[in-house]
Amino acid sequence: MEQKNRLIITGIVTVLIAFAIFASFGRRWFAADLPEIVLPSPDASHGPSSGDTSSQTPSDQLQRVEVTPETVQSVIAALSRQTSYYRELTVETYLEDGASVSSAVQVWADGGWTRTIQPLPSGLIRHDLIGEELVYYWYAGDESWRTAPADRVSADIAQHIPTYETVLHLPAAAITATGYEQRGELHCIYVQVQSPVAGYEERYWVSVDSGLLVGAESLEDGVLVYSMSALTPAESLNPADEGIFSLPDGTVLHIP
């Protein structure tokens, strides 16, 4: 009986030792095929540098993940655009003779509505008011307006900016460079792509805080043909903007 008990105890000890070995090394075997997320060294300009992340926002933590051509689409997919804001941006188009045409665009956005005001090279000032179904547009001094169907990119078209989310639908081979860069006051995700359709090289800078496009460039055969920049943080709407989502006759389509 004593020998039988000794064998049982020995068996139990053997099982415990085997389990301890598995717990120590088994996870490494199973994790060998999992992708590794590399965190760069903490930077004081990018948020808290201590190990305590309780005060960090999602964008702070997002900034700490290394952006590579393999991961950038997942990082961009995790962003969401700020839904209510005012900002100003500058769009430049470069001509073949070396000249350029510059346009300053004012943008208000709230609750799925977007309003833009921009001077045109002709001297006219164009107004666009974009909702979920229709685009309303007119020129300064008009008492009437025209409409056109709206879709998910209509607001970007009105601002003359590219829709950076198209990066999500590109093959990985089209993504040629990525990283984190600072543009003006803003910390941004940078992604460079080679357009498989038009052949242009496209560069995008997206704010990690607002999810808004704050910089863009298009190059044809290495020559800059388009640029856009909005290098200060988007502002909150204020009470003076209450009537901004109105038509020329005073009809209010949206109240912030």
Side-chain angles (χ1 to χ4, degrees):
M1 180 65 69
E2 183 179 348
Q3 183 177 3
K4 183 177 180 180
N5 291 339
R6 188 180 297 115
L7 289 174
I8 292 173
I9 293 172
T10 301
I12 293 173
V13 171
T14 302
V15 170
L16 291 175
I17 292 173
F19 178 79
I21 293 173
F22 177 84
S24 178
F25 297 102
R27 287 178 296 178
R28 298 183 187 178
W29 299 335
F30 282 99
D33 294 329
L34 294 177
E36 181 182 5
I37 297 177
V38 181
L39 301 180
S41 300
D43 184 331
S45 66
H46 287 64
S49 59
S50 67
D52 181 10
T53 61
S54 59
S55 62
Q56 294 184 17
T57 65
S59 63
D60 293 329
Q61 297 173 25
L62 184 64
Q63 269 185 294
R64 296 172 60 83
V65 179
E66 184 178 10
V67 178
T68 68
E70 292 75 26
T71 64
V72 69
Q73 288 171 309
S74 296
V75 173
I76 288 177
L79 295 174
S80 58
R81 297 195 195 192
Q82 186 173 335
T83 58
S84 182
Y85 62 88
Y86 167 77
R87 69 171 180 162
E88 299 177 4
L89 54 90
T90 301
V91 174
E92 291 194 78
T93 303
Y94 300 87
L95 308 178
E96 292 183 357
D97 61 2
S100 65
V101 177
S102 179
S103 179
V105 186
Q106 295 177 279
V107 184
W108 294 260
D110 183 76
W113 288 84
T114 303
R115 171 75 179 273
T116 65
I117 300 177
Q118 57 187 302
L120 303 179
S122 64
L124 295 174
I125 298 177
R126 175 160 173 147
H127 296 248
D128 288 85
L129 181 53
I130 304 100
E132 293 183 356
E133 298 180 357
L134 290 175
V135 176
Y136 305 81
Y137 62 97
W138 64 94
Y139 300 91
D142 288 349
E143 296 182 358
S144 59
W145 59 90
R146 296 181 180 180
T147 62
D151 59 26
R152 65 181 185 83
V153 299
S154 294
D156 290 346
I157 292 173
Q159 299 172 62
H160 298 291
I161 65 174
T163 302
Y164 73 83
E165 288 91 347
T166 55
V167 170
L168 300 176
H169 308 295
L170 294 176
I175 300 172
T176 55
T178 60
Y180 283 111
E181 294 188 6
Q182 184 160 339
R183 298 272 291 181
E185 304 174 33
L186 307 172
H187 299 297
C188 303
I189 295 167
Y190 169 71
V191 57
Q192 176 179 300
V193 303
Q194 190 69 34
S195 172
V197 178
Y200 287 91
E201 181 180 275
E202 308 283 352
R203 300 171 179 171
Y204 305 120
W205 289 265
V206 184
S207 168
V208 298
D209 292 315
S210 68
L212 298 175
L213 184 72
V214 299
E217 293 179 348
S218 294
L219 295 89
E220 183 179 14
D221 298 325
V223 178
L224 188 65
V225 296
Y226 165 90
S227 69
M228 165 268 178
S229 62
L231 304 184
T232 56
E235 303 173 9
S236 299
L237 298 182
N238 59 58
D241 298 323
E242 181 176 344
I244 198 66
F245 301 102
S246 302
L247 296 173
D249 67 351
T251 300
V252 177
L253 299 182
H254 174 73
I255 299 176

